[in-house]
Each structure stands twice: as C-alpha cells, then as structure tokens.
Amino acid sequence: DTRGKVTTKNLNLTDKHKIFTTSKTLVTLRENQLKIKSRLIDLDFGEYTEPKIFYLNDKIYITTTDLQSKKIYLFDSQAKSIPNFPVFGTAPAELQKLDNENGLELITQSDDKTIVVYKMH
C-alpha cells in the first residue's frame, strides 16, 4: 500500500502453472484447469497457451487457445463463456476494437500464413 505495507498470499502455484494478472484480476492455467479470480473452469484436455486478459468497453475478457484441438476460448471476468465460443484458431488470440462499429474483433491465425478476424456483436 502507500504506507509501505506488503501483504502476501500463497497461491499454491507450481512451475507448471501459466499465469496472467492485472491489478484486479488473477488468471491461472494448469493442464486443463483455468482459474479466473476464484472461479475454476474445467476445460477439455489439451495443450493450452498462456491465458491473456483484455480490458475493453469496461469489461474484462480472458482468452486461451487449445493448440491441439485448434479452439480459442473466451470468458468474462465471472468465468462465463462468451456465446458462440470456442472458435477455430491455431495461435493465441488478440481481442481489440478495430473499427468504429459496436462490438469487438478477435484476431488469430488459421494456419502459418493466414490471419483470421472474428467480429463479435
């Protein structure tokens, strides 16, 4: 805090955990278990990329990609899956606002030479 007090908490993470954090959101992934804040999601078994957190339009989104099944998952900060996900993708996803229209765009790859942009409404 501003007075120099440090508070620590053991999260029981191992070197097998993938972690991404902001000042208010902690996301961890170990094997097929994605934890967003205190909520745990059991994903299908696979080879997942490090989770990423995006803060867009006053909302928190979390992505991870299963490289084996080629699926991109998208969740909100309450660990609820976003409708119409997972979608096809072969790389970690980037969530952005690319134009002046409502909605966001999810950018990823479909193969080594092709970029895919999904429009979210």
Side-chain angles (χ1 to χ4, degrees):
D1 66 15
T2 57
R3 297 180 188 185
K5 181 181 174 194
V6 176
T7 303
T8 62
K9 179 180 178 183
N10 185 350
L11 301 174
N12 297 317
L13 301 178
T14 68
D15 59 351
K16 297 186 188 292
H17 280 86
K18 296 176 182 175
I19 184 171
F20 199 101
T21 187
T22 66
S23 61
K24 296 184 180 184
T25 304
L26 172 67
V27 177
T28 63
L29 177 67
R30 181 165 189 238
E31 295 176 355
N32 70 316
Q33 292 191 319
L34 180 68
K35 188 173 185 180
I36 301 171
K37 296 182 180 180
S38 62
R39 294 177 170 87
L40 191 63
I41 304 163
D42 285 321
L43 301 170
D44 293 336
F45 284 99
E47 181 186 341
Y48 290 92
T49 60
E50 181 176 302
K52 292 172 85 175
I53 299 171
F54 300 92
Y55 182 70
L56 298 161
N57 296 343
D58 294 325
K59 190 167 179 175
I60 294 172
Y61 297 93
I62 296 93
T63 66
T64 188
T65 302
D66 181 351
L67 299 174
Q68 287 179 333
S69 67
K70 300 177 181 168
K71 292 180 182 176
I72 297 173
Y73 294 84
L74 182 63
F75 299 94
D76 68 13
S77 62
Q78 303 303 309
K80 292 182 182 169
S81 182
I82 302 299
N84 303 314
F85 278 84
V87 295
F88 178 78
T90 61
E94 190 73 26
L95 193 61
Q96 295 294 326
K97 178 111 177 85
L98 297 178
D99 55 30
N100 291 329
E101 296 178 17
N102 288 338
L104 301 172
E105 289 79 25
L106 185 127
I107 305 117
T108 190
Q109 291 178 261
S110 63
D111 60 43
D112 290 342
K113 298 179 182 177
T114 309
I115 294 174
V116 177
V117 178
Y118 291 98
K119 178 78 172 170
M120 298 170 46
H121 296 281

